[in-house]
Amino acid sequence: MSKEATVQTTATERKRGNWVAKLVLIVVAIAIAVVAYFILAAILPRWWADTIAGQIKRDLGASILVGVFYGFVFTFVPLLVAWQATNKRVSWPWKFVIVLIAVAIATPNLLTAGILIGSSESAHAGQRTLSIDAGFFSTWTTISAIAAAVIFVILLILWTAWRRNRRTVKRLKTEQRAQELNVRDSEKRRAEEAKEAERQQVIAQRNIASETERRRAAESERDSLRQPQSTVEDQGEVR
């Protein structure tokens, strides 16, 4: 009993040690994530604003075109990729991977949103850079992102309706084929029953004819047997 108790105690201590190690790893991961967030929040807004400013170079027409491109493409494509995760044939780990890929594709718009709605010093510096060097970029990025989301929703509704109509048409065709098969089977069954009834009628007529012939043969045989007796009686009377 003491050995079993020792084994159980050792197993319990190992489980506690595993839980403690997991808890420490979780705390360390959260701490790293928080530190990375603050570092990226201090670096990325300025870097992204400088990148956009370098692409536009204070050209208002270029700011509109670049804003439309980033806003539409990096909203519509991530939504299209993320929608693939709703497929029932995709397993849960792959659903998570697909969502991560969609978020990664949407990074340009997320960075722009971080600059526009951010309250850090880096975000404010990015706002100033975009307002000076890329005047209409933020506005047209927002407009294009909203337009991309609306278009995606409209296309999704149309695709869902088309798919539903396709399923309805397929179901109706299947039901129509089933009805046609049932009609054909019933007609075939009726034809077979009619043929069987006709065959039975022919057999009955043949049986009746054979029975009639048999009766006639029996009657003729009886008549033939009666004729000699009547002849003998007639001869007796003559004598």
Side-chain angles (χ1 to χ4, degrees), residues 112-155:
T112 303
I115 293 174
L116 296 179
I117 64 177
S119 58
S120 63
E121 182 180 353
S122 178
H124 290 311
Q127 292 173 6
R128 289 191 296 270
T129 301
L130 291 179
S131 63
I132 295 172
D133 297 331
F136 294 145
F137 174 78
S138 302
T139 303
W140 282 98
T141 299
T142 304
I143 294 173
S144 301
I146 295 173
V150 171
I151 291 173
F152 177 80
V153 172
I154 292 173
L155 292 177

mmCIF file of all heavy atoms in Angstrom, residues 112-155:
data_model
loop_
_atom_site.group_PDB
_atom_site.id
_atom_site.type_symbol
_atom_site.label_atom_id
_atom_site.label_comp_id
_atom_site.label_asym_id
_atom_site.label_seq_id
_atom_site.Cartn_x
_atom_site.Cartn_y
_atom_site.Cartn_z
ATOM 1 N N THR A 112 -3.581 51.208 -41.351
ATOM 2 C CA THR A 112 -4.201 52.509 -41.590
ATOM 3 C C THR A 112 -5.247 52.810 -40.525
ATOM 4 O O THR A 112 -5.333 53.945 -40.014
ATOM 5 C CB THR A 112 -4.845 52.539 -42.983
ATOM 6 O OG1 THR A 112 -3.857 52.232 -43.968
ATOM 7 C CG2 THR A 112 -5.432 53.896 -43.284
ATOM 8 N N ALA A 113 -6.039 51.811 -40.161
ATOM 9 C CA ALA A 113 -7.044 52.014 -39.107
ATOM 10 C C ALA A 113 -6.373 52.307 -37.773
ATOM 11 O O ALA A 113 -6.866 53.137 -36.987
ATOM 12 C CB ALA A 113 -7.929 50.778 -38.992
ATOM 13 N N GLY A 114 -5.252 51.637 -37.516
ATOM 14 C CA GLY A 114 -4.522 51.913 -36.280
ATOM 15 C C GLY A 114 -4.036 53.351 -36.206
ATOM 16 O O GLY A 114 -4.008 53.956 -35.130
ATOM 17 N N ILE A 115 -3.643 53.908 -37.351
ATOM 18 C CA ILE A 115 -3.219 55.313 -37.379
ATOM 19 C C ILE A 115 -4.409 56.242 -37.165
ATOM 20 O O ILE A 115 -4.334 57.219 -36.409
ATOM 21 C CB ILE A 115 -2.527 55.627 -38.716
ATOM 22 C CG1 ILE A 115 -1.199 54.856 -38.813
ATOM 23 C CG2 ILE A 115 -2.267 57.118 -38.856
ATOM 24 C CD1 ILE A 115 -0.522 54.985 -40.156
ATOM 25 N N LEU A 116 -5.537 55.942 -37.805
ATOM 26 C CA LEU A 116 -6.689 56.852 -37.747
ATOM 27 C C LEU A 116 -7.361 56.858 -36.389
ATOM 28 O O LEU A 116 -7.820 57.915 -35.928
ATOM 29 C CB LEU A 116 -7.700 56.454 -38.835
ATOM 30 C CG LEU A 116 -7.213 56.597 -40.286
ATOM 31 C CD1 LEU A 116 -8.288 56.145 -41.250
ATOM 32 C CD2 LEU A 116 -6.811 58.045 -40.570
ATOM 33 N N ILE A 117 -7.467 55.687 -35.759
ATOM 34 C CA ILE A 117 -8.192 55.615 -34.481
ATOM 35 C C ILE A 117 -7.251 55.500 -33.287
ATOM 36 O O ILE A 117 -7.709 55.433 -32.146
ATOM 37 C CB ILE A 117 -9.171 54.423 -34.479
ATOM 38 C CG1 ILE A 117 -8.403 53.103 -34.576
ATOM 39 C CG2 ILE A 117 -10.181 54.559 -35.588
ATOM 40 C CD1 ILE A 117 -9.288 51.869 -34.513
ATOM 41 N N GLY A 118 -5.932 55.455 -33.545
ATOM 42 C CA GLY A 118 -4.983 55.317 -32.451
ATOM 43 C C GLY A 118 -4.837 56.594 -31.649
ATOM 44 O O GLY A 118 -5.076 57.706 -32.137
ATOM 45 N N SER A 119 -4.444 56.410 -30.397
ATOM 46 C CA SER A 119 -4.271 57.569 -29.501
ATOM 47 C C SER A 119 -2.833 57.717 -29.020
ATOM 48 O O SER A 119 -2.549 58.603 -28.210
ATOM 49 C CB SER A 119 -5.203 57.430 -28.291
ATOM 50 O OG SER A 119 -4.931 56.224 -27.589
ATOM 51 N N SER A 120 -1.946 56.872 -29.509
ATOM 52 C CA SER A 120 -0.551 56.959 -29.083
ATOM 53 C C SER A 120 0.161 58.094 -29.817
ATOM 54 O O SER A 120 -0.344 58.655 -30.800
ATOM 55 C CB SER A 120 0.160 55.627 -29.343
ATOM 56 O OG SER A 120 0.182 55.348 -30.738
ATOM 57 N N GLU A 121 1.350 58.391 -29.348
ATOM 58 C CA GLU A 121 2.146 59.455 -29.982
ATOM 59 C C GLU A 121 2.524 59.064 -31.395
ATOM 60 O O GLU A 121 2.509 59.899 -32.321
ATOM 61 C CB GLU A 121 3.394 59.720 -29.141
ATOM 62 C CG GLU A 121 4.266 60.839 -29.683
ATOM 63 C CD GLU A 121 5.496 61.073 -28.832
ATOM 64 O OE1 GLU A 121 5.592 60.447 -27.752
ATOM 65 O OE2 GLU A 121 6.358 61.866 -29.254
ATOM 66 N N SER A 122 2.827 57.766 -31.601
ATOM 67 C CA SER A 122 3.186 57.304 -32.936
ATOM 68 C C SER A 122 2.002 57.410 -33.888
ATOM 69 O O SER A 122 2.161 57.776 -35.059
ATOM 70 C CB SER A 122 3.676 55.853 -32.858
ATOM 71 O OG SER A 122 3.988 55.356 -34.141
ATOM 72 N N ALA A 123 0.793 57.108 -33.391
ATOM 73 C CA ALA A 123 -0.406 57.217 -34.235
ATOM 74 C C ALA A 123 -0.665 58.667 -34.620
ATOM 75 O O ALA A 123 -1.014 58.967 -35.766
ATOM 76 C CB ALA A 123 -1.606 56.629 -33.509
ATOM 77 N N HIS A 124 -0.509 59.588 -33.662
ATOM 78 C CA HIS A 124 -0.700 60.999 -33.978
ATOM 79 C C HIS A 124 0.333 61.492 -34.992
ATOM 80 O O HIS A 124 0.009 62.278 -35.896
ATOM 81 C CB HIS A 124 -0.624 61.836 -32.699
ATOM 82 C CG HIS A 124 -1.793 61.630 -31.794
ATOM 83 N ND1 HIS A 124 -3.103 61.686 -32.215
ATOM 84 C CD2 HIS A 124 -1.858 61.360 -30.454
ATOM 85 C CE1 HIS A 124 -3.929 61.470 -31.203
ATOM 86 N NE2 HIS A 124 -3.177 61.266 -30.110
ATOM 87 N N ALA A 125 1.581 61.001 -34.861
ATOM 88 C CA ALA A 125 2.607 61.369 -35.839
ATOM 89 C C ALA A 125 2.250 60.826 -37.212
ATOM 90 O O ALA A 125 2.430 61.513 -38.242
ATOM 91 C CB ALA A 125 3.966 60.823 -35.379
ATOM 92 N N GLY A 126 1.717 59.597 -37.267
ATOM 93 C CA GLY A 126 1.286 59.037 -38.534
ATOM 94 C C GLY A 126 0.135 59.818 -39.142
ATOM 95 O O GLY A 126 0.064 60.003 -40.363
ATOM 96 N N GLN A 127 -0.804 60.286 -38.300
ATOM 97 C CA GLN A 127 -1.913 61.105 -38.803
ATOM 98 C C GLN A 127 -1.412 62.404 -39.428
ATOM 99 O O GLN A 127 -1.888 62.812 -40.496
ATOM 100 C CB GLN A 127 -2.875 61.411 -37.648
ATOM 101 C CG GLN A 127 -3.629 60.193 -37.127
ATOM 102 C CD GLN A 127 -4.442 60.512 -35.889
ATOM 103 O OE1 GLN A 127 -4.541 61.666 -35.475
ATOM 104 N NE2 GLN A 127 -5.004 59.463 -35.273
ATOM 105 N N ARG A 128 -0.446 63.027 -38.779
ATOM 106 C CA ARG A 128 0.097 64.253 -39.332
ATOM 107 C C ARG A 128 0.812 64.003 -40.659
ATOM 108 O O ARG A 128 0.671 64.773 -41.615
ATOM 109 C CB ARG A 128 1.063 64.895 -38.317
ATOM 110 C CG ARG A 128 0.382 65.486 -37.089
ATOM 111 C CD ARG A 128 1.346 66.318 -36.279
ATOM 112 N NE ARG A 128 2.441 65.518 -35.735
ATOM 113 C CZ ARG A 128 2.397 64.914 -34.555
ATOM 114 N NH1 ARG A 128 1.302 64.983 -33.793
ATOM 115 N NH2 ARG A 128 3.431 64.222 -34.119
ATOM 116 N N THR A 129 1.552 62.894 -40.727
ATOM 117 C CA THR A 129 2.266 62.569 -41.964
ATOM 118 C C THR A 129 1.292 62.321 -43.109
ATOM 119 O O THR A 129 1.477 62.822 -44.227
ATOM 120 C CB THR A 129 3.149 61.328 -41.753
ATOM 121 O OG1 THR A 129 4.079 61.587 -40.697
ATOM 122 C CG2 THR A 129 3.908 60.968 -43.021
ATOM 123 N N LEU A 130 0.235 61.557 -42.840
ATOM 124 C CA LEU A 130 -0.747 61.273 -43.893
ATOM 125 C C LEU A 130 -1.506 62.523 -44.308
ATOM 126 O O LEU A 130 -1.802 62.710 -45.501
ATOM 127 C CB LEU A 130 -1.732 60.195 -43.409
ATOM 128 C CG LEU A 130 -1.169 58.779 -43.221
ATOM 129 C CD1 LEU A 130 -2.257 57.846 -42.725
ATOM 130 C CD2 LEU A 130 -0.564 58.250 -44.511
ATOM 131 N N SER A 131 -1.832 63.401 -43.359
ATOM 132 C CA SER A 131 -2.579 64.609 -43.716
ATOM 133 C C SER A 131 -1.739 65.574 -44.541
ATOM 134 O O SER A 131 -2.280 66.321 -45.375
ATOM 135 C CB SER A 131 -3.068 65.304 -42.441
ATOM 136 O OG SER A 131 -1.961 65.721 -41.654
ATOM 137 N N ILE A 132 -0.421 65.542 -44.350
ATOM 138 C CA ILE A 132 0.438 66.463 -45.095
ATOM 139 C C ILE A 132 0.892 65.851 -46.416
ATOM 140 O O ILE A 132 0.787 66.479 -47.486
ATOM 141 C CB ILE A 132 1.657 66.857 -44.233
ATOM 142 C CG1 ILE A 132 1.198 67.656 -43.001
ATOM 143 C CG2 ILE A 132 2.657 67.677 -45.058
ATOM 144 C CD1 ILE A 132 2.298 67.918 -41.997
ATOM 145 N N ASP A 133 1.409 64.620 -46.377
ATOM 146 C CA ASP A 133 2.020 64.015 -47.567
ATOM 147 C C ASP A 133 1.064 63.130 -48.368
ATOM 148 O O ASP A 133 1.388 62.750 -49.498
ATOM 149 C CB ASP A 133 3.238 63.182 -47.144
ATOM 150 C CG ASP A 133 4.328 64.034 -46.515
ATOM 151 O OD1 ASP A 133 4.414 65.219 -46.876
ATOM 152 O OD2 ASP A 133 5.085 63.516 -45.671
ATOM 153 N N ALA A 134 -0.068 62.733 -47.797
ATOM 154 C CA ALA A 134 -1.028 61.873 -48.507
ATOM 155 C C ALA A 134 -2.432 62.333 -48.147
ATOM 156 O O ALA A 134 -3.144 61.682 -47.375
ATOM 157 C CB ALA A 134 -0.814 60.402 -48.141
ATOM 158 N N GLY A 135 -2.808 63.466 -48.722
ATOM 159 C CA GLY A 135 -4.010 64.161 -48.279
ATOM 160 C C GLY A 135 -5.289 63.342 -48.272
ATOM 161 O O GLY A 135 -5.991 63.273 -47.267
ATOM 162 N N PHE A 136 -5.606 62.693 -49.400
ATOM 163 C CA PHE A 136 -6.882 61.983 -49.525
ATOM 164 C C PHE A 136 -6.766 60.471 -49.299
ATOM 165 O O PHE A 136 -7.737 59.746 -49.498
ATOM 166 C CB PHE A 136 -7.477 62.222 -50.917
ATOM 167 C CG PHE A 136 -7.862 63.647 -51.158
ATOM 168 C CD1 PHE A 136 -7.730 64.210 -52.411
ATOM 169 C CD2 PHE A 136 -8.367 64.414 -50.129
ATOM 170 C CE1 PHE A 136 -8.098 65.533 -52.633
ATOM 171 C CE2 PHE A 136 -8.739 65.732 -50.329
ATOM 172 C CZ PHE A 136 -8.595 66.292 -51.598
ATOM 173 N N PHE A 137 -5.591 60.009 -48.905
ATOM 174 C CA PHE A 137 -5.385 58.563 -48.770
ATOM 175 C C PHE A 137 -6.314 57.964 -47.725
ATOM 176 O O PHE A 137 -6.999 56.959 -47.981
ATOM 177 C CB PHE A 137 -3.929 58.276 -48.407
ATOM 178 C CG PHE A 137 -3.662 56.836 -48.107
ATOM 179 C CD1 PHE A 137 -3.523 55.909 -49.128
ATOM 180 C CD2 PHE A 137 -3.573 56.389 -46.787
ATOM 181 C CE1 PHE A 137 -3.284 54.567 -48.839
ATOM 182 C CE2 PHE A 137 -3.335 55.058 -46.500
ATOM 183 C CZ PHE A 137 -3.194 54.143 -47.534
ATOM 184 N N SER A 138 -6.345 58.544 -46.546
ATOM 185 C CA SER A 138 -7.154 57.979 -45.460
ATOM 186 C C SER A 138 -8.638 57.969 -45.820
ATOM 187 O O SER A 138 -9.349 56.978 -45.596
ATOM 188 C CB SER A 138 -6.927 58.780 -44.175
ATOM 189 O OG SER A 138 -5.566 58.768 -43.821
ATOM 190 N N THR A 139 -9.110 59.078 -46.399
ATOM 191 C CA THR A 139 -10.535 59.173 -46.741
ATOM 192 C C THR A 139 -10.939 58.133 -47.770
ATOM 193 O O THR A 139 -11.928 57.402 -47.596
ATOM 194 C CB THR A 139 -10.849 60.581 -47.269
ATOM 195 O OG1 THR A 139 -10.476 61.540 -46.281
ATOM 196 C CG2 THR A 139 -12.323 60.706 -47.600
ATOM 197 N N TRP A 140 -10.163 58.040 -48.851
ATOM 198 C CA TRP A 140 -10.524 57.103 -49.918
ATOM 199 C C TRP A 140 -10.239 55.656 -49.524
ATOM 200 O O TRP A 140 -10.905 54.742 -50.028
ATOM 201 C CB TRP A 140 -9.785 57.466 -51.201
ATOM 202 C CG TRP A 140 -10.429 58.623 -51.875
ATOM 203 C CD1 TRP A 140 -10.070 59.929 -51.819
ATOM 204 C CD2 TRP A 140 -11.600 58.564 -52.681
ATOM 205 N NE1 TRP A 140 -10.926 60.709 -52.550
ATOM 206 C CE2 TRP A 140 -11.886 59.895 -53.089
ATOM 207 C CE3 TRP A 140 -12.440 57.543 -53.102
ATOM 208 C CZ2 TRP A 140 -12.965 60.209 -53.889
ATOM 209 C CZ3 TRP A 140 -13.525 57.864 -53.902
ATOM 210 C CH2 TRP A 140 -13.781 59.174 -54.294
ATOM 211 N N THR A 141 -9.316 55.437 -48.613
ATOM 212 C CA THR A 141 -9.131 54.076 -48.080
ATOM 213 C C THR A 141 -10.365 53.638 -47.305
ATOM 214 O O THR A 141 -10.860 52.513 -47.464
ATOM 215 C CB THR A 141 -7.895 54.017 -47.169
ATOM 216 O OG1 THR A 141 -6.731 54.355 -47.926
ATOM 217 C CG2 THR A 141 -7.717 52.623 -46.589
ATOM 218 N N THR A 142 -10.891 54.547 -46.476
ATOM 219 C CA THR A 142 -12.098 54.229 -45.703
ATOM 220 C C THR A 142 -13.293 53.993 -46.614
ATOM 221 O O THR A 142 -14.046 53.024 -46.453
ATOM 222 C CB THR A 142 -12.399 55.368 -44.717
ATOM 223 O OG1 THR A 142 -11.259 55.599 -43.887
ATOM 224 C CG2 THR A 142 -13.591 55.021 -43.856
ATOM 225 N N ILE A 143 -13.478 54.907 -47.596
ATOM 226 C CA ILE A 143 -14.606 54.756 -48.528
ATOM 227 C C ILE A 143 -14.503 53.452 -49.310
ATOM 228 O O ILE A 143 -15.489 52.712 -49.466
ATOM 229 C CB ILE A 143 -14.665 55.967 -49.485
ATOM 230 C CG1 ILE A 143 -14.987 57.234 -48.714
ATOM 231 C CG2 ILE A 143 -15.689 55.732 -50.591
ATOM 232 C CD1 ILE A 143 -14.892 58.500 -49.543
ATOM 233 N N SER A 144 -13.327 53.141 -49.810
ATOM 234 C CA SER A 144 -13.133 51.925 -50.606
ATOM 235 C C SER A 144 -13.301 50.674 -49.761
ATOM 236 O O SER A 144 -13.836 49.661 -50.233
ATOM 237 C CB SER A 144 -11.749 51.942 -51.255
ATOM 238 O OG SER A 144 -11.606 53.075 -52.090
ATOM 239 N N ALA A 145 -12.849 50.724 -48.510
ATOM 240 C CA ALA A 145 -13.019 49.564 -47.623
ATOM 241 C C ALA A 145 -14.504 49.303 -47.367
ATOM 242 O O ALA A 145 -14.966 48.150 -47.408
ATOM 243 C CB ALA A 145 -12.276 49.798 -46.306
ATOM 244 N N ILE A 146 -15.259 50.376 -47.118
ATOM 245 C CA ILE A 146 -16.711 50.209 -46.906
ATOM 246 C C ILE A 146 -17.376 49.698 -48.182
ATOM 247 O O ILE A 146 -18.240 48.804 -48.134
ATOM 248 C CB ILE A 146 -17.329 51.546 -46.464
ATOM 249 C CG1 ILE A 146 -16.777 51.945 -45.088
ATOM 250 C CG2 ILE A 146 -18.852 51.445 -46.418
ATOM 251 C CD1 ILE A 146 -17.196 53.328 -44.637
ATOM 252 N N ALA A 147 -16.976 50.245 -49.335
ATOM 253 C CA ALA A 147 -17.550 49.782 -50.610
ATOM 254 C C ALA A 147 -17.220 48.314 -50.851
ATOM 255 O O ALA A 147 -18.081 47.540 -51.311
ATOM 256 C CB ALA A 147 -17.011 50.636 -51.755
ATOM 257 N N ALA A 148 -15.988 47.903 -50.536
ATOM 258 C CA ALA A 148 -15.609 46.497 -50.716
ATOM 259 C C ALA A 148 -16.437 45.588 -49.817
ATOM 260 O O ALA A 148 -16.892 44.512 -50.242
ATOM 261 C CB ALA A 148 -14.118 46.314 -50.424
ATOM 262 N N ALA A 149 -16.657 46.008 -48.564
ATOM 263 C CA ALA A 149 -17.471 45.197 -47.649
ATOM 264 C C ALA A 149 -18.909 45.088 -48.137
ATOM 265 O O ALA A 149 -19.515 44.004 -48.099
ATOM 266 C CB ALA A 149 -17.424 45.805 -46.247
ATOM 267 N N VAL A 150 -19.461 46.220 -48.630
ATOM 268 C CA VAL A 150 -20.847 46.203 -49.138
ATOM 269 C C VAL A 150 -20.951 45.309 -50.369
ATOM 270 O O VAL A 150 -21.882 44.498 -50.498
ATOM 271 C CB VAL A 150 -21.306 47.638 -49.452
ATOM 272 C CG1 VAL A 150 -22.642 47.618 -50.177
ATOM 273 C CG2 VAL A 150 -21.407 48.461 -48.178
ATOM 274 N N ILE A 151 -19.986 45.435 -51.288
ATOM 275 C CA ILE A 151 -20.007 44.605 -52.500
ATOM 276 C C ILE A 151 -19.870 43.132 -52.144
ATOM 277 O O ILE A 151 -20.542 42.263 -52.726
ATOM 278 C CB ILE A 151 -18.891 45.053 -53.461
ATOM 279 C CG1 ILE A 151 -19.215 46.434 -54.032
ATOM 280 C CG2 ILE A 151 -18.714 44.041 -54.604
ATOM 281 C CD1 ILE A 151 -18.105 47.028 -54.859
ATOM 282 N N PHE A 152 -19.008 42.844 -51.170
ATOM 283 C CA PHE A 152 -18.846 41.446 -50.745
ATOM 284 C C PHE A 152 -20.149 40.897 -50.175
ATOM 285 O O PHE A 152 -20.546 39.766 -50.486
ATOM 286 C CB PHE A 152 -17.732 41.353 -49.702
ATOM 287 C CG PHE A 152 -17.537 39.970 -49.160
ATOM 288 C CD1 PHE A 152 -16.819 39.020 -49.883
ATOM 289 C CD2 PHE A 152 -18.076 39.602 -47.939
ATOM 290 C CE1 PHE A 152 -16.652 37.737 -49.394
ATOM 291 C CE2 PHE A 152 -17.910 38.322 -47.442
ATOM 292 C CZ PHE A 152 -17.192 37.391 -48.171
ATOM 293 N N VAL A 153 -20.829 41.692 -49.353
ATOM 294 C CA VAL A 153 -22.099 41.243 -48.773
ATOM 295 C C VAL A 153 -23.138 41.020 -49.868
ATOM 296 O O VAL A 153 -23.885 40.028 -49.857
ATOM 297 C CB VAL A 153 -22.596 42.260 -47.728
ATOM 298 C CG1 VAL A 153 -24.006 41.912 -47.268
ATOM 299 C CG2 VAL A 153 -21.660 42.291 -46.534
ATOM 300 N N ILE A 154 -23.195 41.948 -50.834
ATOM 301 C CA ILE A 154 -24.161 41.803 -51.939
ATOM 302 C C ILE A 154 -23.865 40.540 -52.747
ATOM 303 O O ILE A 154 -24.774 39.754 -53.068
ATOM 304 C CB ILE A 154 -24.132 43.056 -52.835
ATOM 305 C CG1 ILE A 154 -24.685 44.258 -52.082
ATOM 306 C CG2 ILE A 154 -24.952 42.825 -54.111
ATOM 307 C CD1 ILE A 154 -24.537 45.578 -52.827
ATOM 308 N N LEU A 155 -22.581 40.339 -53.082
ATOM 309 C CA LEU A 155 -22.210 39.136 -53.833
ATOM 310 C C LEU A 155 -22.495 37.877 -53.033
ATOM 311 O O LEU A 155 -22.920 36.852 -53.600
ATOM 312 C CB LEU A 155 -20.729 39.204 -54.208
ATOM 313 C CG LEU A 155 -20.332 40.271 -55.237
ATOM 314 C CD1 LEU A 155 -18.825 40.256 -55.453
ATOM 315 C CD2 LEU A 155 -21.055 40.031 -56.560
#
